[in-house]
Amino acid sequence: MKGFVTVKVTLAMLMAAIVDAKIYERCELALKLERAGLNSFKGYTVGDWLCMAHYESGFDTSFVDHNPDGSSEYGIFQLNSAWWCDNGITPTQNLCHMDCRDLLNHHLLDDILCARQVVSSQNGMTAWDSWIRHCYGHDLSEWLKGCNMHAKHDSKKIKS
């Protein structure tokens, strides 16, 4: 009976997170990222952030991906439970001092603050493999086309 109650509570928590989740439109997210000060943060553009978030989560705040090492990645920026947040399962550094479930709702401030911390580390955006594969060295101006913004288009180059 206790196991059944645990399952019900877990399902209720997941449903609450899903109800508060959102799949952002590209320009809507671009504007939020610009307003949050991510354009030119550590030399990266809103185009870098959009490209990375698209390939990581499809702009879906509720997206969770499970890795072979047992860790999971959460939210629009796919922040890893072994390093950045605590999911209560994976041993973690929890460098953003947060619960991973907090990354699954439409409120982006905590996601942005944690992602800024990732980019502030020595790896920068290379912390995301999808950014290296799909965004680095590419023309990212297309990500901002039609968004009515004044964001910079020139992306930071990786130092060799």
Side-chain angles (χ1 to χ4, degrees):
M1 184 65 150
K2 187 176 181 180
F4 181 70
V5 171
T6 303
V7 168
K8 283 179 71 173
V9 169
T10 302
L11 287 174
M13 289 172 45
L14 287 173
M15 290 303 291
I18 290 169
V19 168
D20 199 23
K22 179 173 182 151
I23 299 173
Y24 278 88
E25 295 294 325
R26 178 180 53 85
C27 289
E28 177 187 18
L29 181 59
L31 189 56
K32 284 195 174 281
L33 298 175
E34 182 180 50
R35 286 183 178 160
L38 291 183
N39 197 43
S40 297
F41 180 74
K42 298 291 181 182
Y44 297 102
T45 67
V46 170
D48 286 299
W49 290 95
L50 286 172
C51 180
M52 178 271 288
H54 170 77
Y55 286 104
E56 287 290 330
S57 67
F59 305 144
D60 184 351
T61 65
S62 69
F63 192 71
V64 178
D65 192 23
H66 302 286
N67 298 317
D69 67 1
S71 68
S72 296
E73 297 178 350
Y74 291 84
I76 202 160
F77 299 124
Q78 291 294 278
L79 298 163
N80 189 281
S81 63
W83 292 100
W84 304 106
C85 62
D86 185 2
N87 65 5
I89 300 166
T90 309
T92 182
Q93 298 291 316
N94 196 9
L95 296 171
C96 290
H97 309 290
M98 65 187 310
D99 190 309
C100 295
R101 288 176 301 202
D102 293 340
L103 297 166
L104 300 177
N105 58 42
H106 73 278
H107 304 288
L108 292 180
L109 181 59
D110 48 3
D111 304 61
I112 290 169
L113 291 173
C114 188
R116 286 173 62 111
Q117 193 166 338
V118 174
V119 169
S120 294
S121 73
Q122 69 182 35
N123 292 329
M125 281 216 152
T126 64
W128 288 278
D129 290 336
S130 64
W131 181 82
I132 297 168
R133 284 193 315 269
H134 301 287
C135 311
Y136 171 65
H138 294 275
D139 177 8
L140 301 175
S141 63
E142 289 294 315
W143 289 101
L144 300 174
K145 198 168 249 177
C147 293
N148 195 22
M149 296 176 55
H150 303 289
K152 287 174 105 178
H153 296 290
D154 296 331
S155 178
K156 182 176 184 174
K157 306 297 183 222
I158 296 176
K159 296 176 186 171
S160 353

